[in-house]
């Protein structure tokens, strides 16, 4: 297969994903499996590897700026990694039809999440003078002030992390779609810290399932390599462009694309291929 | 671990802030991994590529990389990529132990154990 084409697919997925605040996995897996003839298990493994690469790259600056809450991250990782290990083992055991169907369902949920996030108002984080055990503080460059917050409902966060890790392991996606809303809505974490902490966790979570994919022979280096390289470069470009590109129309467009992919994955689940 | 009521000062016994150390570790890991992947893909333009769909097994990796097999060089890049987050968990466990934040050091060790279990379960098929 043409490495350049795979790298371009990865770059576009990384670019689009970072512009709308999703990982590239939701684009990589359908494009590889529906249009480029890559078996879905290999597509999911390639996506998992690329998710690790993009999240690790993003974490370099998030960690440095102290946006990532490392204490909270390592706590929730105990649940995400267990979920991802179970998800990875489940994926290895499932048929490609079952995996296509599951991915189709998640794509519908993803587009619903994107629409919901577009309409929601400002969330109120649990701000405090001291961060407590799991909270944190960082400097918000837009508000020009230090933000200090506490964390509540850690058990709810652990439960959501188990689900997010499971989805990540099963389908090769980051799982931020579950973690970020739970951290912001249920745990009182500010959006910037929630997104950075979720990103920080994704690398380790992805590894729990990627080790299973790698050791069981689902990682095709000539597919996963160019996809990982492309997604990382695309995501780096997307992060620079994000401030200048209006996300609204793009989000709506991506919702429609995800829904089309969802229908095609649903059809693939019952053995019908439409290109 | 700091109590909920007090202001927590960041105490770093040695080696600088854990955030800066983590950021450096991640930079080195991802930089090396992506360079190896890019090198492997570049080699694939000039050398015949075995159309294997499986990453080079660990035992054969050193010899295959030494012989300049493009798929093996990409595989090595992927191995480095997959090892980087695990290395960051080890670094966190050490950093929290040095700061005597035993709860978080223990949590990091638990995460590491899950990763090791996942690797062993994958191999055990």
């Amino acid at each position: 297969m043409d490495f350049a084409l795979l790298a371009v697919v990865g770059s576009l997925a990384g670019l689009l994903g970072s512009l709308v605040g999703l990982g590239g996995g939701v684009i990589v897996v359908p494009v590889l499996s529906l249009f480029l003839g890559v078996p879905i298990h290999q597509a999911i493994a390639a996506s998992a590897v690329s998710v690790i690469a993009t999240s690790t790259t993003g974490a370099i600056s998030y960690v440095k700026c102290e946006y990532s809450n490392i204490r909270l991250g390592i706590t929730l990782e105990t649940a995400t990694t267990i979920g991802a290990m179970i998800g990875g083992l489940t994926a290895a055991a499932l048929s490609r039809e079952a995996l296509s169907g599951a991915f189709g369902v998640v794509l519908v949920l993803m587009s619903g999440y994107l629409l919901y996030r577009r309409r929601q108002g400002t969330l109120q984080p649990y701000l405090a003078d001291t961060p407590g055990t799991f909270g944190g503080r960082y400097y918000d460059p837009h508000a020009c002030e230090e933000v200090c917050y506490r964390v509540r409902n850690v058990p709810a966060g652990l439960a959501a992390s188990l689900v997010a890790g499971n989805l990540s392991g099963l389908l090769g996606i980051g799982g931020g779609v579950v973690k970020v809303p739970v951290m912001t809505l249920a745990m009182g974490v500010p959006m910037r810290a929630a997104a950075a902490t979720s990103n920080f966790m994704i690398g380790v979570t992805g590894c729990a399932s990627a080790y299973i994919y790698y050791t069981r022979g689902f990682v095709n280096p000539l597919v996963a390599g160019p996809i990982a390289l492309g997604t990382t470069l695309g995501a780096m470009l997307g992060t620079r462009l994000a401030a200048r590109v209006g996300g609204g129309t793009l989000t709506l467009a991506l919702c429609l694309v995800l829904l089309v992919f969802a229908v095609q994955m649903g059809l693939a689940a019952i053995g019908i291929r439409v290109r | 671990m700091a109590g909920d009521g007090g202001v927590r000062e960041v105490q770093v016994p040695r080696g600088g802030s854990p955030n800066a150390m983590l950021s450096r570790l991640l930079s080195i890991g991802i930089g090396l991994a992506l360079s190896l992947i890019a090198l492997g893909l570049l080699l694939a333009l000039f050398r015949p590529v075995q159309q294997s769909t499986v990453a080079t097994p660990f035992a054969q990796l050193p010899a295959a990389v030494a012989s300049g097999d493009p798929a093996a060089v990409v595989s090595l890049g992927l191995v480095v990529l997959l090892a980087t987050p695990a290395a960051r968990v080890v670094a966190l466990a050490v950093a929290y132990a040095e700061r005597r934040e035993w709860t978080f050091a223990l949590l990091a060790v638990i995460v590491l154990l899950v990763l090791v279990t996942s690797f062993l379960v994958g191999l055990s098929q």
Side-chain angles (χ1 to χ4, degrees):
Chain A
M1 194 176 296
D2 191 346
F3 307 139
L5 175 64
L6 291 169
V8 169
V9 167
S11 305
L12 290 176
L15 178 67
L16 263 177
S18 62
L19 285 178
V20 301
L22 279 185
V26 284
I27 303 165
V28 163
V29 176
V31 171
L32 287 183
S33 66
L34 292 170
F35 303 110
L36 297 180
V38 176
I40 191 162
H41 287 86
Q42 279 189 24
I44 286 175
S47 173
V49 168
S50 72
V51 159
I52 294 169
T54 46
S55 77
T56 305
T57 309
I60 293 168
S61 53
Y62 288 147
V63 166
K64 213 176 198 170
C65 300
E66 313 248 348
Y67 294 151
S68 300
N69 182 333
I70 295 175
R71 283 184 175 79
L72 181 61
I74 198 80
T75 305
L76 299 183
E77 273 172 5
T78 54
T80 59
T81 47
I82 291 172
M85 184 172 67
I86 296 168
L89 288 169
T90 311
L94 283 180
S95 69
R96 59 183 185 186
E97 287 79 14
L99 271 180
S100 299
F103 208 98
V105 171
V106 169
L107 284 173
V108 174
L109 296 176
M110 287 276 195
S111 36
Y113 165 71
L114 283 177
L115 284 178
Y116 162 77
R117 203 184 55 180
R118 219 170 148 246
R119 298 169 60 156
Q120 82 186 18
T122 309
L123 299 162
Q124 289 303 317
Y126 181 18
L127 298 179
D129 292 334
T130 56
T133 304
F134 293 104
R137 46 170 108 229
Y138 62 89
Y139 180 75
D140 185 338
H142 294 293
C144 295
E145 63 181 14
E146 189 186 71
V147 177
C148 182
Y149 62 94
R150 287 192 173 212
V151 172
R152 58 187 171 224
N153 287 335
V154 173
L158 283 168
S161 297
L162 192 68
V163 174
N166 198 245
L167 272 181
S168 168
L170 186 65
L171 304 174
I173 58 177
V177 69
V178 177
K179 280 178 290 184
V180 175
V182 170
M183 275 194 263
T184 52
L185 293 171
M187 303 177 75
V189 180
M191 179 52 108
R192 188 182 287 271
T197 306
S198 166
N199 176 80
F200 178 74
M201 285 191 274
I202 284 171
V204 169
T205 307
C207 278
S209 55
Y211 290 171
I212 290 170
Y213 297 141
Y214 194 98
T215 48
R216 299 223 167 162
F218 294 132
V219 176
N220 180 344
L222 302 178
V223 173
I227 287 287
L229 202 57
T231 349
T232 309
L233 297 177
M236 285 164 77
L237 180 65
T239 309
R240 287 175 188 271
L241 290 178
R244 280 183 260 165
V245 177
T249 315
L250 204 59
T251 301
L252 206 58
L254 188 65
C255 277
L256 291 175
V257 172
L258 293 186
L259 285 175
V260 172
F261 284 166
V263 171
Q264 287 182 301
M265 291 299 250
L267 289 171
I270 53 172
I272 302 170
R273 296 253 158 197
V274 185
R275 292 191 182 188
Chain B
M1 193 192 320
D4 276 0
V7 177
R8 186 178 54 213
E9 293 294 331
V10 176
Q11 294 168 358
V12 188
R14 56 179 177 267
S17 136
N19 286 52
M21 176 271 292
L22 281 184
S23 182
R24 221 169 24 245
L25 177 75
L26 296 177
S27 301
I28 294 168
I30 195 80
L32 183 61
L34 293 181
S35 304
L36 283 166
I37 291 171
L39 176 67
L41 295 176
L42 206 63
L43 282 173
L45 295 176
F46 303 103
R47 302 181 70 130
V49 180
Q50 289 179 351
Q51 285 304 318
S52 163
T53 58
V54 183
T56 312
F58 294 114
Q60 298 163 19
L61 206 51
V65 169
S67 72
D69 173 15
V73 177
V74 176
S75 295
L76 181 63
L78 295 175
V79 168
V80 173
L81 177 65
L82 298 185
T84 300
R88 151 321 228 172
V89 178
V90 174
L92 264 184
V94 173
Y96 281 126
E98 277 183 351
R99 293 154 68 106
R100 300 185 181 281
E101 295 192 42
W102 301 115
T103 306
F104 293 106
L106 179 67
L107 289 172
V109 169
I110 292 172
V111 171
L112 196 63
L113 285 177
V114 176
L115 291 182
V116 171
T117 307
S118 156
F119 185 77
L120 295 177
V121 166
L123 281 179
S124 72
Q125 190 190 28

